[in-house]
Amino acid sequence: MTVTIYDVAREAKVSMATVSRVVNGNPNVKPATRDRVNEVIERLNYRPNAVARGLASKKTTTVGVIIPDISNMYYSELARGLEDIAKMYKYQTIISNSDNDAVKEIEIFNNLLSKQVDGIIFLGGTLSDKTAEMIQKSSVPVVLSGTLDQDESLPSVNIDYVNASKEITNKFIEAGVKRFAFVGGGYSEKAQIDVLKGMQTLLSEHGITLPEAAQYIGSEQYLDGEKAYAAIKDTNPEVVLCISDEQAIGIVHAAQDDGKMIPDDLQVISFNNTRLVKMVRPKLSSVMQPLYDIGAVGMRLLTKYMNDEPIEDQKVVLPYRIEYRGTTKK
Amino acid sequence: MTVTIYDVAREAKVSMATVSRVVNGNPNVKPATRDRVNEVIERLNYRPNAVARGLASKKTTTVGVIIPDISNMYYSELARGLEDIAKMYKYQTIISNSDNDAVKEIEIFNNLLSKQVDGIIFLGGTLSDKTAEMIQKSSVPVVLSGTLDQDESLPSVNIDYVNASKEITNKFIEAGVKRFAFVGGGYSEKAQIDVLKGMQTLLSEHGITLPEAAQYIGSEQYLDGEKAYAAIKDTNPEVVLCISDEQAIGIVHAAQDDGKMIPDDLQVISFNNTRLVKMVRPKLSSVMQPLYDIGAVGMRLLTKYMNDEPIEDQKVVLPYRIEYRGTTKK
DNA sequence: ATGAAAGCGCTAACAC
DNA sequence: GTGTTAGCGCTTTCAT
C-alpha cells in the first residue's frame, strides 16, 4: 500500500540504511548512489513516515504551543510570529487553547508530552503555581512568551511593563495630572501587576494616591469597557491606563456617550498594541509592543534549547515604544 | 529512563497486551487486573507514548490545519471554533500558515501527510487548481471551512455569499440607490466572486451597471481602505459593498477625511463580521457570519470522515444574518 | 480473560 | 561508502 523505505531500498538495490542516509542528507553516500536512490524516491513517490522516524530517533520536529485564546488578537499575533520561526527551523506547531486555565494548561501539557514534542512554548498572562511547577520539572524545554514566572527563573521573552508604566505615569504627572485610573483584566494578570507597580511607584513618589475606586479589573473585552468606565467614573479620572486595547476603546466610547470629550476631558492609553489602535477614531495612544517578535524570539530561543545551542540570555526583554495618539493630549 | 508499557506490565505481573487493553479501555479485562494495572500506572507515572501508538495503530489523533494567516481575525475565529471541537473529540491540531499561497499550501499538505495526520482542515479564500487537485487525491479526509472548490465536490462548510449579496443589493435598489461600488481583496477571492455575482445579477435585473472604476481589489487591510476609497470615489458611489471589515473601516475613515458624511453621503457594508464591526463608530453594517461555527462544524464534519461515520451532507451551508448598523441609512 | 509474538517504518550503532 | 541488525514503544492478531 504505502511505500516504505524498504521498497525504495529494494528498487534502488541498496540497503535501508543508505536510503535513510540519502533522505537525511548524510554526506557519506556516493553521488551516483544518491542519484539512483533519489530517482527511485521520486518514481515511487516515497514520503518518509515522520511517526516512525520520531519513534526511532526520539525527535518529532514538533513543538507544542499552549495559548490562552487564538482568537484574541494579541495572542494570534504572537502565534503568527512563533509559527513563522518554527517553520523556518522545520518544526511543526501543535497549538492548543488553554483559556489561561491552570487545569486545561496541565492537561494540554501532558498531551503534548505524550505526543513527544521536542519543546513547548507557553503563552499566557498568568502563570499559576501549579503550571509553573509543572514547567520547572518538564523533561522538554519550555519557553514563556509574553509572560513571566514569579522568580523569573524560566526562559522567557517579554517587554518591561513596569518601565513602560513608569514612563507613561511620569509623563502625565509632569503634565500636571492628579487623578489617575487603572483598568485591567482577562489574561493579563502579570501585566496588570507590573503596570500597577510602575504606576504606584511614581505616584507615591509624587504623593499621589490611586484610590481603590479608580481601579477596575474586568474581562479585557470591548463591551467590558463600558463597565470599566462606569466603575471608575465617580473618581473623575483625568487619565486611565488600560491593559487591553479593546477595553480601552470601550472606555473611550462609553466616556463619549457620557458627554466627555476625548482627550480633553479624559485621556486613555493602552498596553496591548494590537492593530486595533490605529483603526479607531480618535486613534488610541498605546505602548507599541513587538508582538510578532515576542512570539518569534520565543520560538528562536526554544530552538536553541532543543538543539543544545549555547544560550546567552534565558530571559530576553524586548524594547517597546510609547506612541501618544489621539486619545491623549499633545 | 522513561517508563514504558513493558515496565508497567512487569510491575503488575501481566503482559503488555493487558496493559494496552487497560490503557485503551478495552472491556475484556478482569476488574481486579484492571485495578492492579491502574495502580502501577499511577505509581510509575506511566504516560503512553503517542508516537509509538501512532506507528502501531496507524492513527495519530492529530489533524492538520492549513490556514492563510492566524493573525487575521477572521481566520483566528475559525481556528478557535475548530480547535475546540477537535479537543472535544480528543484530536490535537497542527496549525500552519499558508498565506493562501498554493506553493506553501502544497508544502504544508505534504508535511502533514508525512506526520500521518488523520485528517486535514483547509481554510483559505481561494482554492488554486493545484491545491484542489492535491486535495482530491488525498489519502486522508479533507474538509474545507470557509471556502469552496470550483465544482463544489469537496466536503465544505460555508455561508451563501451570493444570496447575502443579492439580499443586500436588493435592499439598496429598493431604497433607490443607483450607484454601487465593490471592494474586495486579499484571501477572499471566492467570496469576491460570489458577492460580485450576487450584485451583478440584481443590478442587471434593474438595468443598473457596475462600472469597472467602481470595483477595487486590494489587500483586505485597514490601510488599504484608503486606496480603495481613492480608487472608487470618482464614480461617486452611494453604497459600497466590501468583503473585509478592516478595509471597510478604512473606507469609512477615508471618506470622512474627504468630507463625506457616513451614512448620508456614502453607505458601507461589509461581509467578514469580525468583532471589529461593533468596535468602531459609527458601527459597521455587516453580514453576520457564524465564524466560530464555520470552523467548528468543519471539524465536526472531519471527525465523521475520520471515524467512518455516515455523512448526511458533505456540503453544509450555514445561515447568515444581515445587520444594518451605523454605516447604512435606516 | 490473558499472553506471546509479529510487526508498524524508521534510525543508529557497528561492522566491513 | 555501504550493509546488517537491533531496537524505538506500542497495537493487534492469534492462541490458549
Side-chain angles (χ1 to χ4, degrees), chain A residues 212-225:
Chain A
E212 275 295 327
Q215 299 177 40
Y216 172 83
I217 305 299
S219 77
E220 227 166 29
Q221 312 268 311
Y222 171 74
L223 288 175
D224 195 60

Side-chain angles (χ1 to χ4, degrees), chain A residues 5 16 20 24 46 49 53 56:
Chain A
I5 200 172
M16 290 162 56
S20 175
N24 293 296
Y46 167 70
N49 180 324
R53 181 182 283 183

Side-chain angles (χ1 to χ4, degrees), chain B residues 76 113 124 126 149 166 170 193 213 228 238 267 288 310:
Chain B
S76 67
L113 291 184
T126 319
D149 53 318
K166 280 186 183 170
N170 189 51
I193 294 170
E238 299 163 84
Q267 302 184 72
M288 299 286 281

Side-chain angles (χ1 to χ4, degrees), chain B residues 15 18 21 30 33 56 58:
Chain B
S15 70
T18 299
R21 288 187 187 103
K30 207 196 313 184
T33 319
K58 299 184 169 304

Side-chain angles (χ1 to χ4, degrees), chain A residues 84-112:
Chain A
D84 281 356
I85 303 301
K87 188 172 279 168
M88 186 176 298
Y89 285 87
K90 312 285 185 199
Y91 286 94
Q92 252 97 27
T93 51
I94 296 182
I95 298 182
S96 199
N97 297 102
S98 69
D99 296 315
N100 202 18
D101 173 297
V103 175
K104 290 191 194 172
E105 283 168 357
I106 292 171
E107 193 178 319
I108 293 170
F109 201 92
N110 283 322
N111 283 150
L112 292 173

Side-chain angles (χ1 to χ4, degrees), chain B residues 23-43:
Chain B
V23 169
N24 293 296
N26 183 319
N28 291 335
V29 181
K30 207 196 313 184
T33 319
R34 176 183 307 279
D35 291 348
R36 188 151 38 91
V37 171
N38 275 325
E39 181 272 318
V40 175
I41 286 178
E42 193 109 338
R43 182 151 53 80

Side-chain angles (χ1 to χ4, degrees), chain B residues 302-317:
Chain B
L302 185 61
T303 63
K304 289 184 184 169
Y305 279 102
M306 294 188 296
N307 300 312
D308 299 313
E309 292 177 40
I311 315 281
E312 312 85 58
D313 291 308
Q314 72 151 23
K315 187 182 158 210
V316 1
V317 178

